Amino acid sequence: QVQLQESGPGLVKPSETLSLTCTVSGGSINSYYWSWIRQPPGKGPEWIGFIYYSGSTNYNPSLKSRVTISVDTSKNQFSLKLRSVTAADTAVYYCARSPTEVDPVPEYYFDYWGQGTLVTVSS
Amino acid sequence: QSALTQPASVSGSPGQSITISCTGTSSDISDYKYVSWYQHHPGKAPKLMIYDVSNRPLGVSNRFSGSKSGNTASLSISGLQAEDEADYYCTSYTSSSPFVFGGGTKLTVL
């Protein structure tokens, strides 16, 4: 059974960089797309971006200037960096997987998710 | 504000059927077949219930079904059970981004 687990600091200061890692177990990171999604308190989820195992990325236009997603296939992990954070970036952050039907085109849904990790931006 | 509009809450009694709507625009739901639905029990990982508008993953009960008409997609649940009580989210592919979400619907089983 594929499992995803988010890890990283639960508290980040304003203007600093939020860094999270998602560790994939029970399956390979190869041949899939890997997303970061966040959900601010009381609001709906927001897709941040995804990375293919080969390293190609696609980001939400509203966050693109501040986001970097990277992958480490040797560790079966992928990571998120969000720069210059403010209180508006406080949210539960999830990692999720999208399969591919025809490599390298993604399927546009998430078949596995992590449980999420709360990140609070505060001084 | 989320790009897709869902009712904040719906409710039903055990055994009844309910439908959750997800309304978008001509840039998303109406133009693409990539609508998916997720069930989320707080504190747990969200679970995929429907993908590509009406397909059910292996292991998901056939009490769950999906459809779309124009710019509105729908998730229907028949034979409501207590364990169906959860938050439900829709997503769609859009012309400007691979994924946009709805604001979520809280389903209460009375």
Side-chain angles (χ1 to χ4, degrees), chain B residues 30-52:
Chain B
S30 65
D31 267 7
Y32 304 100
K33 67 165 188 172
Y34 304 119
V35 176
S36 54
W37 290 89
Y38 303 87
Q39 177 189 67
H40 187 207
H41 290 105
K44 294 194 169 183
K47 178 183 177 183
L48 175 66
M49 306 304 287
I50 296 287
Y51 67 96
D52 293 351

Side-chain angles (χ1 to χ4, degrees), chain A residues 35 37 39 43-47 50 58-61 94 98 107-115, chain B residues 2 34 36 38 40 43-48 51-52 89 91 93 96-99 101-104:
Chain A
S35 284
I37 296 155
Q39 184 169 17
K43 297 186 179 181
E46 177 182 38
W47 177 73
F50 65 31
N58 188 336
Y59 300 131
N60 186 322
Y94 298 92
S98 297
E107 297 278 14
Y108 294 105
Y109 57 87
F110 308 107
D111 59 353
Y112 288 98
W113 295 64
Q115 289 192 317
Chain B
S2 300
Y34 304 119
S36 54
Y38 303 87
H40 187 207
K44 294 194 169 183
K47 178 183 177 183
L48 175 66
Y51 67 96
D52 293 351
Y89 297 95
T91 72
Y93 181 90
S96 58
S97 177
F99 301 99
F101 281 85

Side-chain angles (χ1 to χ4, degrees), chain B:
Chain B
Q1 189 170 357
S2 300
L4 305 178
T5 301
Q6 299 181 233
S9 63
V10 298
S11 62
S13 299
Q16 287 187 332
S17 298
I18 63 96
T19 297
I20 299 172
S21 62
C22 172
T23 302
T25 69
S26 58
S27 300
D28 39 65
I29 290 176
S30 65
D31 267 7
Y32 304 100
K33 67 165 188 172
Y34 304 119
V35 176
S36 54
W37 290 89
Y38 303 87
Q39 177 189 67
H40 187 207
H41 290 105
K44 294 194 169 183
K47 178 183 177 183
L48 175 66
M49 306 304 287
I50 296 287
Y51 67 96
D52 293 351
V53 176
S54 58
N55 293 323
R56 259 190 322 274
L58 239 56
V60 172
S61 169
N62 60 9
R63 298 186 298 106
F64 291 83
S65 62
S67 63
K68 79 161 185 169
S69 176
N71 67 350
T72 298
S74 299
L75 173 70
S76 296
I77 310 173
S78 62
L80 267 182
Q81 299 179 0
E83 69 219 43
D84 299 333
E85 184 163 297
D87 296 321
Y88 291 84
Y89 297 95
C90 61
T91 72
S92 175
Y93 181 90
T94 86
S95 58
S96 58
S97 177
F99 301 99
V100 287
F101 281 85
T105 298
K106 181 176 179 59
L107 169 61
T108 301
V109 181
L110 302 169

Side-chain angles (χ1 to χ4, degrees), chain A residues 27-101:
Chain A
S28 174
I29 205 164
N30 293 340
S31 301
Y32 292 96
Y33 281 81
W34 302 94
S35 284
W36 286 99
I37 296 155
R38 70 180 184 178
Q39 184 169 17
K43 297 186 179 181
E46 177 182 38
W47 177 73
I48 298 170
F50 65 31
I51 189 165
Y52 193 42
Y53 77 102
S54 63
S56 61
T57 55
N58 188 336
Y59 300 131
N60 186 322
S62 68
L63 295 168
K64 187 173 183 176
S65 64
R66 297 194 292 132
V67 173
T68 300
I69 298 176
S70 58
V71 65
D72 186 338
T73 54
S74 66
K75 294 182 178 180
N76 244 29
Q77 294 177 334
F78 64 104
S79 298
L80 168 71
K81 289 191 186 301
L82 180 65
R83 296 175 290 279
S84 304
V85 297
T86 69
D89 295 309
T90 293
V92 175
Y93 285 75
Y94 298 92
C95 54
R97 187 185 87 168
S98 297
T100 57
E101 182 180 17

Side-chain angles (χ1 to χ4, degrees), chain A residues 9-20:
Chain A
L11 181 64
V12 181
K13 290 183 168 52
S15 80
E16 295 190 344
T17 296
L18 179 161
S19 296
L20 295 174

